[in-house]
């Protein structure tokens, strides 16, 4: 039976509420609380400086990157539709003595819940698969920006989502690269990406968005693309053969530098 987007999003919200306290333990936030920034050098080179800017972080989860951006001097608002994630984010903000506003909302329904405009709209690391409508997503981003404001995303490359992520030793195409209206239902015993000993009970639905759909949605929303980069490093163990380097990035060493694992895009709202 076809799943409507609203029901799929409700199922996803239950999943994120379930894993938020798990992630508070498994992310290892001690360094962050002590003063580390969790925004990596790659993103800093492409986006910074953020100090003194009004910044909204979409799909902020438990706030680890949100709080890093606040510590680096931005005036930050975090958005997420998972109340349990935001509860953890607020707890961390208090512990770190940082002032951040949080809005509980589906990104696609943000319009009625916020009337502020921002210098920077930021989103990263495991966000697009949860978005059911890429056109509305890009229009929402555009509507949040001040004239001259900048949108920045750092995300896993859609190419990597095609492969069977249970197979070791080979890359086998399992999923279409292209978008399907019906979301993919992940109803298996795959452990959580951050805690390999935890198998979430609430299963998820995800939408695939090829790079062309993402780029075209941003262009159609009136933003001017300033940078689109594809990187041969990843931010988590997305495929079983990936290994973590001393620099903290994950790589598919067996395939050398032949595959893009992440991409970044920066686009400007015209003045
Ligand atoms: C993989 S996490 C983002 C991870 C984050 N970058 C981090 O490093 O912790 C995805 C987040 O998106 C949120 N989310 C998923 N779909 C959403 C939607 N439609 N609107 C708002 N938040 C959503 C989830 O609640 C979750 O907190």
């Amino acid at each position: 039976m076809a799943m409507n987007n609203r029901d799929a999003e409700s199922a996803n919200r239950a999943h994120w509420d379930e894993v938020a306290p798990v992630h508070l333990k498994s992310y290892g936030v001690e360094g962050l609380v002590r003063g580390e920034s969790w925004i990596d050098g790659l993103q800093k080179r492409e986006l910074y400086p953020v100090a003194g800017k009004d910044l909204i972080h979409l799909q902020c989860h438990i706030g680890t990157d949100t709080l890093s951006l606040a510590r680096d001097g931005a005036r930050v608002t975090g958005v997420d539709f998972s109340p349990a994630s935001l509860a953890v984010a607020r707890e961390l903000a208090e512990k770190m003595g940082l002032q951040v506003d949080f809005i509980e909302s589906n990104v696609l329904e943000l319009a009625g819940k916020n009337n502020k405009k921002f210098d920077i709209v930021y989103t990263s690391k495991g966000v697009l698969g949860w978005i059911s409508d890429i056109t509305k997503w890009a229009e929402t981003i555009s509507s949040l920006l001040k004239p001259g404001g900048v949108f920045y995303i750092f995300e896993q490359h859609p190419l990597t989502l095609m492969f069977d992520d249970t197979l070791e030793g080979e890359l086998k195409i399992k999923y279409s690269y292209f978008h399907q209206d019906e979301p993919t239902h992940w109803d298996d015993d795959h452990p959580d990406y951050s805690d390999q000993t935890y198998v979430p009970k609430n299963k998820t639905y995800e939408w695939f968005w090829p790079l062309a759909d993402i780029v075209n949605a941003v262009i159609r929303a009136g933003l001017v693309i300033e940078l689109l980069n594809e990187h041969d490093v990843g931010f988590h163990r997305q495929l079983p053969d990936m290994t973590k380097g001393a620099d903290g990035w994950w790589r598919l060493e067996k395939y050398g530098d032949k595959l893009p694992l992440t991409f970044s895009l920066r686009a400007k709202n015209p003045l």
Side-chain angles (χ1 to χ4, degrees):
M1 198 177 64
M3 167 60 89
N4 75 50
N5 288 350
R6 225 159 229 286
D7 290 346
E9 286 167 348
S10 294
N12 289 343
R13 188 182 309 113
H15 168 87
W16 288 107
D17 279 343
E18 177 189 346
V19 297
V22 177
H23 289 172
L24 175 61
K25 294 200 186 100
S26 61
Y27 272 27
V29 295
E30 299 76 19
L32 177 76
V33 171
R34 276 198 307 273
E36 286 171 4
S37 168
W38 279 17
I39 306 295
D40 54 74
L42 185 160
Q43 294 186 74
K44 282 187 172 158
R45 278 193 298 282
E46 294 184 337
L47 173 68
Y48 275 38
V50 296
K53 306 261 175 71
D54 290 314
L55 183 153
I56 187 162
H57 179 188
L58 304 180
Q59 294 173 252
C60 66
H61 195 36
I62 61 169
T64 45
D65 290 342
T66 328
L67 294 163
S68 299
L69 291 158
R71 185 177 269 143
D72 290 342
R75 287 184 296 273
V76 182
T77 302
V79 177
D80 204 284
F81 73 176
S82 152
S85 296
L86 292 184
V88 174
R90 287 194 179 98
E91 191 184 312
L92 285 175
E94 197 174 319
K95 216 182 232 177
M96 292 163 66
L98 291 167
Q99 167 56 44
V100 172
D101 293 328
F102 290 103
I103 303 176
E104 184 185 317
S105 175
N106 188 324
V107 166
L108 305 179
E109 292 162 10
L110 191 53
K113 295 177 187 146
N114 164 72
N115 47 26
K116 195 172 157 187
K117 301 270 183 190
F118 297 87
D119 301 301
I120 300 173
V121 176
Y122 171 87
T123 195
S124 71
K125 299 186 176 179
V127 285
L128 285 175
W130 312 106
I131 296 299
S132 60
D133 182 337
I134 201 79
T135 299
K136 201 166 177 195
W137 171 80
E139 285 169 353
T140 303
I141 289 163
S142 176
S143 74
L144 289 166
L145 285 169
K146 296 179 190 173
V150 162
F151 166 57
Y152 180 79
I153 178 169
F154 174 61
E155 177 60 307
Q156 49 201 31
H157 198 292
L159 184 90
T160 60
L161 304 173
M162 296 170 67
F163 301 114
D164 186 336
D165 62 354
T166 61
L167 272 189
E168 285 193 43
E170 64 171 312
L171 286 181
K172 191 170 167 207
I173 292 178
K174 185 170 179 190
Y175 305 99
S176 169
Y177 179 70
F178 298 105
H179 176 73
Q180 324 285 321
D181 285 338
E182 186 74 7
T184 300
H185 186 31
W186 303 101
D187 186 13
D188 54 25
D189 286 337
H190 212 62
D192 180 70
Y193 64 85
S194 164
D195 180 347
Q196 296 290 311
T197 66
Y198 187 82
V199 177
K201 291 175 224 24
N202 289 287
K203 306 305 177 189
T204 56
Y205 294 83
E206 285 188 62
W207 294 266
F208 291 85
W209 298 108
L211 202 53
D213 287 8
I214 301 161
V215 168
N216 285 328
V218 169
I219 294 170
R220 280 197 310 269
L223 304 183
V224 178
I225 294 175
E226 295 188 317
L227 159 166
L228 173 62
N229 285 325
E230 294 167 295
H231 312 280
D232 60 5
V233 290
F235 51 85
H236 73 310
R237 191 174 174 219
Q238 202 184 327
L239 295 162
D241 288 330
M242 285 171 75
T243 48
K244 194 174 187 178
D247 57 3
W249 290 110
W250 291 83
R251 292 182 174 81
L252 257 182
E253 291 196 345
K254 184 174 169 197
Y255 297 90
D257 300 334
K258 294 185 190 130
L259 280 179
L261 300 177
T262 47
F263 77 95
S264 47
L265 180 152
R266 195 182 71 214
K268 196 168 201 158
N269 193 21
L271 283 169

